[in-house]
Amino acid sequence: KSDIGIARYVHYMDVAGIHIAPQILIPFGRLDAGKDISILGKANGIGDIILANTFFLYHDANSKSTFGITPYLYLPTGQYSKNNALNIGENRVKLALQGAYTTQLIDRVNWDIAGDFTLYGKNEDVAGDGSLKQDIGFQVQTNLRYRLTDMTDLRAGISYSDAGDTELNGMTTKATQQSKFWIGTGI
């Protein structure tokens, strides 16, 4: 069972003619294996702090189109112990780079497309005194939104992700690959 939240501070501003949005994200929460796997234990606390900044490189008010690039730097600040099966933090640096484009196709209908990749640092403090290495991960996703009001929309989308193969103490595990489809609403 996981209960995870993120405290997020964002400040929009213009620097050298480019609209940017520097951000600090602080994940927090708890994990509880419970029931049949209760031997894995529990974890709670603060996760790895994330520093990000969106650079809005293109914005056309007439077509209501925007393109932005956001680097995310994950710092190994979260609760972590190699002796625990569950951890809120990962004990490694990560760098993700995401590009996203959104546009209004027709009145009330918007389309979004985004792609990102993640570079993973090593965790040199894993159980068994070994290390964890991970190949580059990536994700692509697209989303169609129909605005019911200025504040509410209906949406549907698809995504595909490949988390990157991992090597733990010399043993390689194939990447988790996932395809998703969603239908929902946003406020």
Side-chain angles (χ1 to χ4, degrees):
K1 180 178 178 182
S2 64
D3 295 310
I4 303 294
I6 297 178
R8 182 177 191 171
Y9 172 78
V10 181
H11 180 72
Y12 293 90
M13 59 195 212
D14 291 316
V15 173
I18 296 176
H19 194 60
I20 64 172
Q23 306 167 47
I24 298 174
L25 297 92
I26 305 172
F28 59 91
R30 68 184 183 97
L31 304 171
D32 184 353
K35 299 187 181 179
D36 294 342
I37 56 172
S38 61
I39 195 161
L40 296 176
K42 301 176 182 182
N44 61 58
I46 301 293
D48 294 338
I49 292 174
I50 306 162
L51 304 176
N53 188 8
T54 301
F55 297 88
F56 296 95
L57 301 178
Y58 174 77
H59 178 73
D60 183 349
N62 294 328
S63 67
K64 299 183 180 173
S65 299
T66 302
F67 173 72
I69 294 178
T70 307
Y72 295 86
L73 177 61
Y74 295 73
L75 303 173
T77 57
Q79 302 291 325
Y80 176 85
S81 170
K82 71 178 182 180
N83 300 316
N84 296 339
L86 299 178
N87 286 287
I88 300 289
E90 292 188 51
N91 194 44
R92 62 180 176 170
V93 173
K94 296 190 307 190
L95 176 65
L97 184 64
Q98 180 181 70
Y101 175 76
T102 185
T103 190
Q104 180 174 312
L105 298 175
I106 58 174
D107 188 41
R108 296 186 172 269
V109 177
N110 290 72
W111 174 60
D112 312 312
I113 186 165
D116 61 72
F117 67 89
T118 303
L119 300 170
Y120 301 92
K122 285 184 183 179
N123 178 346
E124 298 284 359
D125 188 33
V126 297
D129 295 321
S131 66
L132 170 72
K133 294 186 252 179
Q134 190 167 356
D135 292 344
I136 294 174
F138 70 91
Q139 178 176 9
V140 292
Q141 59 186 325
T142 188
N143 195 59
L144 199 60
R145 295 178 286 127
Y146 176 76
R147 286 188 327 278
L148 298 170
T149 69
D150 286 344
M151 298 290 293
T152 307
D153 67 51
L154 297 175
R155 57 184 66 185
I158 58 173
S159 75
Y160 174 78
S161 64
D162 181 320
D165 293 352
T166 58
E167 183 183 313
L168 178 61
N169 296 337
M171 243 167 96
T172 301
T173 302
K174 295 300 282 178
T176 299
Q177 298 173 347
Q178 183 179 56
S179 297
K180 292 190 287 188
F181 170 76
W182 62 88
I183 297 173
T185 186
I187 297 177

